[in-house]
Every structure is written in structure tokens, then in C-alpha cells.
Amino acid sequence: MKKEYWFVIITYIAMQLSSIVGVPIFMLIGASTGMTADELEQKSAAYWIVFSFFVALALILFLMRKDMKEKMDTSNQASVGTSILWAIAGVFLALTAQAVAGIIEQSLGVQPESENTQQLIAIIYKVPMVIFVTSVIGPILEEIIFRKIIFGSLHKRFNFFISAVLSSVIFGLAHGELEHLLLYTAMGLTFAYLYAKTGRILVSMSAHIAMNTLVIIIQVVNREQIEKLLDTAQAFIGGLL
């Protein structure tokens, strides 16, 4: 693995853990605003998510600058038109993978609701700017980390199946919801397939962004209708980021 890839991974991990320090700092800054303790904590968490994700994205793009400038071997890449079609199809593949994984989880007694998703939705209602982070920046970072770096590095040594499963399980574990590991792993397998099939990280990235955006729209804009759906439909949109 390239040296800069390790720095990218360290940056991503630091971003994920940074709220331990960042949120209390933001709470101190906003202590004089007159908000209740709960509201102050929620808004501080929301603003720190926005701040930390933007900083992490800037640092990671800087660290990956040489990678982006290097001339890539296009012989294994799908054409632009084909890539666009796979990006569109990838959204439906990801949603289908979630649906199947969700049904399996429910059959095992796992509750369909994702705690991560519900927490994010609550934060979005407080600070709508978080929508851009969860819909766009999050997927960009995750595709760089879990598909381009981790899957890509593994795929140089192992076959697709082993590389995809290992990177997808790591992707699932990174979300911190062991009960939904199958759901996140299924998503990871889908995006790994898109990346391997087209040779373009932008394809899996676009599908991931579109899927997250769709989930946000359904969860936020149509929240009341969502609550009336059957449990299987809730499982269908259970995973986020």
C-alpha cells in the first residue's frame, strides 16, 4: 500500500474520533447562546460533523493529489457512457442489496431501524447543512477509503470475492452497528462490484451519493409516510453512510 494511503486512512480515523474533543469545544463556544443543554449538544455535534468532514475531505484530496495526477491505465476502464449506465444501475443494485439483507436480518430477529440513520435524521432537523455531508461528502470519503484504497489494495493480492468481502466487512464494522453488519456489508459488496466492473471510482461514488440522497429525501421529506410502511419497507432503507 502506498505511504500516502496510510495517511489518508489515519486522517479518516482521526475524523471519526475527533468529536470526542471537537463537540465539547463547540459546546463551550456556544455556551452563551442561551440554548438548553440538550439542544446545545445536538447543534454542537451537528456543526462539528460539518466542520470535521470538510477538513478531512480537504486533507484527503491533498494527500491523494499525486494519485489524481498520475496517468491511469484506461484499458481496464469502461467507457464513459457505460460507466454512467452502471452508476445509475448501481443505485438500484444497492437498494436491492439492502432490501435482501434487511429481510434476512429481520428473519434473524434484528430490528429494522438503524440507530445511525435515526441519529443523523435528528441532527439534520437541527442543522440542515448536515444533509450535504451525509449525502455527498460521506460517500466520497467512504469510496476513497473502502473501495479505492482498501478494496483496491486487497484486489492486487487476492481475487475479487475475497477482496470485496474483506473490504465490505471492514466497511460495515466502521459504522459501529454490529446488528446491521450484513446490511452494510451488502452495500459494500455492491459498490466494490461497481468499482471493479468499470475500473472507475467515480461510478461507485456516484451510486453511493445517489443512494444516500434518496434515503435522506425519503427519511426527511416523507417521514410521516415512512412511519406507516411495513417493517420490510423500513428495512429496505435501513442503512445510511
Side-chain angles (χ1 to χ4, degrees):
M1 188 182 293
K2 296 180 181 180
K3 180 177 65 176
E4 55 265 34
Y5 284 0
W6 287 110
F7 290 132
V8 169
I9 292 173
I10 291 170
T11 299
Y12 182 78
I13 293 173
M15 179 203 72
Q16 295 287 356
L17 299 176
S18 65
S19 60
I20 298 172
V21 175
V23 173
I25 291 174
F26 272 32
M27 289 181 70
L28 285 174
I29 294 172
S32 61
T33 58
M35 289 185 285
T36 64
D38 287 344
E39 188 176 12
L40 178 60
E41 184 176 1
Q42 279 192 323
K43 287 203 169 184
S44 296
Y47 284 121
W48 184 257
I49 287 174
V50 174
F51 174 76
S52 61
F53 270 70
F54 269 103
V55 170
L57 178 62
L59 286 174
I60 287 173
L61 290 179
F62 175 76
L63 291 168
M64 298 287 288
R65 67 192 185 283
K66 290 183 180 178
D67 239 47
M68 293 185 286
K69 288 180 180 178
E70 288 179 358
K71 290 184 179 180
M72 294 184 292
D73 179 11
T74 58
S75 61
N76 294 321
Q77 289 186 341
S79 66
V80 173
T82 301
S83 297
I84 292 173
L85 290 176
W86 272 111
I88 295 171
V91 180
F92 298 98
L93 287 175
L95 290 172
T96 300
Q98 282 194 67
V100 173
I103 291 171
I104 294 173
E105 285 186 351
Q106 281 189 280
S107 69
L108 296 174
V110 177
Q111 292 298 315
E113 294 84 3
S114 166
E115 187 176 344
N116 277 350
T117 303
Q118 298 310 315
Q119 288 177 348
L120 283 169
I121 297 302
I123 290 175
I124 286 170
Y125 272 99
K126 295 291 183 181
V127 181
M129 193 186 306
V130 175
I131 290 176
F132 185 72
V133 172
T134 57
S135 297
V136 180
I137 299 181
I140 290 174
L141 292 176
E142 290 182 346
E143 291 309 305
I144 291 174
I145 300 294
F146 297 102
R147 252 60 70 185
K148 182 172 181 59
I149 293 180
I150 298 179
F151 169 74
S153 298
L154 288 170
H155 202 201
K156 290 178 180 178
R157 301 183 60 183
F158 306 106
N159 62 32
F160 169 80
F161 180 77
I162 293 174
S163 304
V165 169
L166 287 176
S167 62
S168 298
V169 169
I170 295 171
F171 173 69
L173 291 173
H175 287 79
E177 289 187 299
L178 289 178
E179 67 274 21
H180 292 300
L181 180 60
L182 179 61
L183 190 70
Y184 289 114
T185 299
M187 291 164 56
L189 287 170
T190 303
F191 298 134
Y193 174 76
L194 292 174
Y195 180 36
K197 181 71 176 179
T198 63
R200 296 178 184 272
I201 194 64
L202 285 176
V203 172
S204 60
M205 202 176 280
S206 298
H208 198 160
I209 289 171
M211 188 202 72
N212 273 26
T213 301
L214 178 62
V215 171
I216 287 292
I217 291 173
I218 293 174
Q219 288 275 10
V220 175
V221 178
N222 299 309
R223 195 174 186 179
E224 292 183 1
Q225 288 83 350
I226 290 296
E227 292 174 353
K228 296 178 182 178
L229 292 179
L230 297 174
D231 287 343
T232 52
Q234 290 177 327
F236 187 84
I237 58 171
L240 221 187
L241 293 184

